[in-house]
Amino acid sequence: MSVIGAITVSKVLGVMTLDGSMDSAAFKVYISKCLVPQLWKGAVVVMDNLPAHQVKAIAPLIEAVGARVLELSPYSPEFNPIEHWWSQLKAFLRQFSPRTSKRVDTLIKIAMDLMNPQHLRNWFAHCCYCPL
């Protein structure tokens, strides 16, 4: 199972789960259906070097709403705030050992409800994107 998501300094934007590995087609669906509808003019979407992120059709979808893409340099997860959330989310999920996608989805919703917005701000600050 794969989980795709995005965060801001105040909330989790969109999360999508899928059975199996994420590929460029699944990532494009996530961007167009889950993320782009929640973006705003001036938003910055930080993406690492996962091959699915490098598809040429992705940036124009994001830029069409007035947002922009910031591509991280290779091997730089320390500059990606969502890596901190992934770590926390995975630790939370491991406590329950979910075996079905429905259970994973339920647990992710619970984790999002339990999310402390201050953690999001701290992760962005830790990655040098904004002050506390």
Side-chain angles (χ1 to χ4, degrees):
M1 173 163 279
S2 297
V3 181
I4 309 167
I7 60 174
T8 70
V9 295
S10 60
K11 67 180 182 175
V12 177
L13 281 185
V15 176
M16 182 176 98
T17 57
L18 58 137
D19 290 325
S21 299
M22 184 185 60
D23 59 14
S24 57
F27 189 64
K28 186 175 177 186
V29 168
Y30 169 76
I31 292 294
S32 62
K33 303 293 184 193
C34 296
L35 183 62
V36 166
Q38 296 190 71
L39 292 178
W40 58 94
K41 186 176 181 173
V44 178
V45 178
V46 177
M47 291 194 288
D48 60 22
N49 292 289
L50 187 69
H53 294 175
Q54 306 304 313
V55 176
K56 292 182 188 255
I58 300 299
L61 291 171
I62 293 167
E63 293 164 352
V65 295
R68 69 183 183 94
V69 174
L70 174 64
E71 294 181 11
L72 294 176
S73 57
Y75 310 108
S76 55
E78 66 275 11
F79 294 118
N80 195 344
I82 202 165
E83 295 299 335
H84 298 280
W85 186 54
W86 290 140
S87 176
Q88 190 178 67
L89 180 63
K90 287 176 187 178
F92 178 76
L93 292 173
R94 281 188 200 107
Q95 294 176 26
F96 301 96
S97 301
R99 301 284 183 227
T100 66
S101 57
K102 183 177 179 179
R103 182 123 164 113
V104 170
D105 287 342
T106 300
L107 289 168
I108 289 172
K109 287 177 186 172
I110 292 168
M112 288 170 59
D113 288 341
L114 296 172
M115 168 65 65
N116 180 341
Q118 187 60 45
H119 289 170
L120 294 166
R121 291 191 55 76
N122 292 345
W123 296 332
F124 274 84
H126 177 78
C127 293
C128 304
Y129 288 106
C130 63
L132 289 172

